[in-house]
Amino acid sequence: MDKFIKLEEKFGANNYKPLPVVLTHGEGVYVWDVNGKRYIDMMSAYSAISHGHCHPRLVAALTAQAKKIAVTSRAFYSDKLGAFLQKACELTGQDKALPMNSGAEAVETAIKAARKWAYNVKKVAENQAEIIVCNNNFHGRTTTIISMSSEPQYRNGFGPYTPGFRFIPYGDVAALTAAISKNTAAFLVEPIQGEAGIILPPAGYLKKCAEICRKNNVLFIADEIQTGLGRTGKFLACEHENVKPDGVILGKALGGGLLPVSLFLAKEEVMAVFTPGDHGSTFGGNPLAAAVGLEALNILVEDKLAERSADLGEYFLKKLRTIKSSLVTDIRGKGLFIGIAIDPKKATARDVCLKLLEHGVLSKDTHATVVRLAPPLIITREQLDEVVQIIKDVLVLF
Ligand SMILES: *Cc1c(COP(=O)(O)O)cnc(C)c1O
């Protein structure tokens, strides 16, 4: 394994600190390292692998389309894009979709749409539009997106920052009301804060925020890149509170674990602000991405992965909560999107992840104190039982 690690470290920028395992193949919930050791993947590439690794139907869709035509650019129509966008609109209850590649690009698209909507529709004075965001959010890594981050590590050294963002505490309805001005274009929010450590807002938060936005002519935009597509037990996490956002951002699992595919979806009035030439992406919505994205959505529906996530998530959370360990300060989550908070006086979450790795479980710490558990949604009850046992075995080692 050493030679692969050394090679990456010699020629790769030092912007990640991977756990010391070199993966070479994956199938379903399992991955194997170059020595042939098998691991159960409880991280699924930050929820991008919700369908499991190399899902046969997705690999078939990918290879079939790759043999026909993969990239056309949006200078031309393709026979694949329309059906993909239609399905995504139907499943999210939105009118129109704009395809991009990475999650950050779709977030950028949402920001541009919200600002232009503010000027064209709400009649905010030129260059005065504001977007309200939450402290400890994670929306991506571009220079504009880090400008709306409160996390020093994401921001420091990368200024000057894009103006036009206002910060409020997450979960605080009154703070949203207080932050809204005549210049407010949108409130952009994660239904559950993932990177912040699987932080669930108080019950009713999203519903109340959406109502406040509606009353004040402010767009309610949900970043469902990580929480969407069944991860939390509903197709969109906003559905837990029967909230229909004015705009929705999807990514990660939308590419079926094979490709970067993202969408910004919105109601007609919002998407109508874009006219030809305003915005775009060379690869966004290419036939290969559209074929895989459509198949990824079809599998989610046909295999009832959201329902599965709800059932198994509840089961898993209940079993995890029976673990008696002085290391654990909290276990929380929704669906198969779960965090175990570790007492920082006893161990770091990374130490726990390293031990889990030795025992054949892949997971990833977030914010030093939380072990994230977000397996492929195709995982079985028996496999979850196995993971619970391994977590028990590992926690007694500290
Ligand atoms: C991962 C993530 C993003 C960024 O997606 P990339 O594909 O890494 O650009 C944005 N928002 C949320 C909530 C995410 O989890």
Side-chain angles (χ1 to χ4, degrees):
M1 296 223 265
D2 253 20
K3 72 171 180 188
F4 297 104
I5 292 173
K6 287 212 171 77
L7 197 62
E8 260 191 45
E9 285 181 350
K10 182 163 175 11
F11 291 103
N14 189 30
N15 59 329
Y16 276 95
K17 190 181 175 196
L19 295 178
V21 58
V22 180
L23 302 177
T24 185
H25 103 261
E27 195 185 315
V29 300
Y30 294 112
V31 293
W32 284 262
D33 72 13
V34 288
N35 296 329
K37 180 175 170 183
R38 191 182 81 172
Y39 303 82
I40 190 157
D41 186 355
M42 292 302 289
M43 211 283 258
S44 29
Y46 304 92
S47 300
I49 315 289
S50 288
H51 300 77
H53 290 274
C54 303
H55 192 293
R57 276 181 66 181
L58 289 163
V59 172
L62 177 87
T63 50
Q65 189 59 40
K67 286 176 189 161
K68 285 178 74 187
I69 191 165
V71 176
T72 52
S73 87
R74 297 291 303 281
F76 312 101
Y77 292 92
S78 85
D79 61 359
K80 286 288 170 298
L81 182 56
F84 169 49
L85 301 182
Q86 178 185 21
K87 189 82 191 171
C89 286
E90 283 169 6
L91 289 172
T92 55
Q94 299 293 327
D95 297 324
K96 293 210 156 163
L98 196 156
M100 300 295 280
N101 311 283
S102 70
E105 288 174 322
V107 172
E108 290 273 355
T109 304
I111 293 167
K112 288 170 84 170
R115 285 179 169 182
K116 202 163 181 198
W117 173 85
Y119 302 126
N120 288 8
V121 180
K122 190 170 173 175
K123 307 295 178 196
V124 169
E126 195 181 340
N127 293 332
Q128 298 302 306
E130 282 181 353
I131 293 173
I132 300 172
V133 296
C134 291
N135 293 336
N136 303 317
N137 71 63
F138 182 81
H139 297 291
R141 299 289 199 166
T142 64
T143 44
T144 285
I145 294 173
I146 57 123
S147 301
M148 57 176 189
S149 170
S150 62
E151 172 61 39
Q153 212 203 343
Y154 300 162
R155 292 172 63 92
N156 291 355
F158 300 125
Y161 305 106
T162 306
F165 299 109
R166 265 181 106 130
F167 296 84
I168 59 170
Y170 188 60
D172 185 340
V173 176
L176 175 62
T177 307
I180 289 174
S181 77
K182 65 179 194 312
N183 293 333
T184 308
F187 174 49
L188 172 60
V189 67
E190 296 162 87
I192 292 174
Q193 287 191 326
E195 297 313 298
I198 322 283
I199 309 295
L200 284 81
Y205 175 64
L206 298 172
K207 182 141 205 95
K208 282 188 206 128
C209 288
E211 278 165 18
I212 290 164
C213 287
R214 191 138 309 140
K215 253 187 234 149
N216 290 278
N217 197 22
V218 166
L219 301 176
F220 179 89
I221 300 177
D223 180 348
E224 295 251 16
I225 290 172
Q226 196 158 171
T227 54
L229 304 177
R231 174 53 57 190
T232 72
K234 296 272 187 194
F235 187 78
L236 295 179
C238 281
E239 291 170 26
H240 288 291
E241 297 190 355
N242 293 316
V243 167
K244 188 172 146 191
D246 302 305
V248 176
I249 309 165
L250 295 178
K252 294 207 164 104
L254 190 58
L258 297 174
L259 292 171
V261 184
S262 66
L263 289 174
F264 172 60
L265 302 113
K267 59 182 184 182
E268 175 67 38
E269 174 188 298
V270 175
M271 208 63 98
V273 302
F274 288 120
T275 59
D278 284 358
H279 186 55
S281 160
T282 303
F283 285 94
N286 67 71
L288 193 61
V292 170
L294 176 60
E295 193 69 346
L297 292 174
N298 284 335
I299 293 168
L300 275 162
V301 174
E302 288 166 30
D303 294 353
K304 299 192 165 49
L305 294 186
E307 292 88 332
R308 202 181 164 83
S309 175
D311 290 348
L312 291 180
E314 198 180 302
Y315 174 76
F316 191 35
L317 202 54
K318 207 179 279 170
K319 280 208 93 170
L320 286 171
R321 284 181 172 146
T322 65
I323 297 177
K324 300 267 172 291
S325 168
S326 63
L327 231 62
V328 175
T329 57
D330 190 25
I331 299 181
R332 54 179 177 257
K334 208 164 208 165
L336 286 168
F337 196 40
I338 291 172
I340 302 181
I342 303 293
D343 184 348
K345 290 193 289 293
K346 305 222 162 87
T348 66
R350 187 178 171 92
D351 292 336
V352 175
C353 290
L354 283 165
K355 276 284 170 232
L356 286 169
L357 180 71
E358 275 176 36
H359 287 72
V361 168
L362 293 192
S363 66
K364 176 74 174 82
D365 53 302
T366 165
H367 276 247
T369 55
V370 180
V371 176
R372 170 206 327 246
L373 299 170
L377 306 182
I378 58 162
I379 198 165
T380 64
R381 208 167 271 253
E382 293 68 34
Q383 288 163 335
L384 288 171
D385 289 340
E386 244 176 82
V387 171
V388 171
Q389 190 54 49
I390 294 170
I391 292 172
K392 273 186 190 163
D393 295 344
V394 160
L395 288 176
V396 298
L397 299 172
F398 289 86

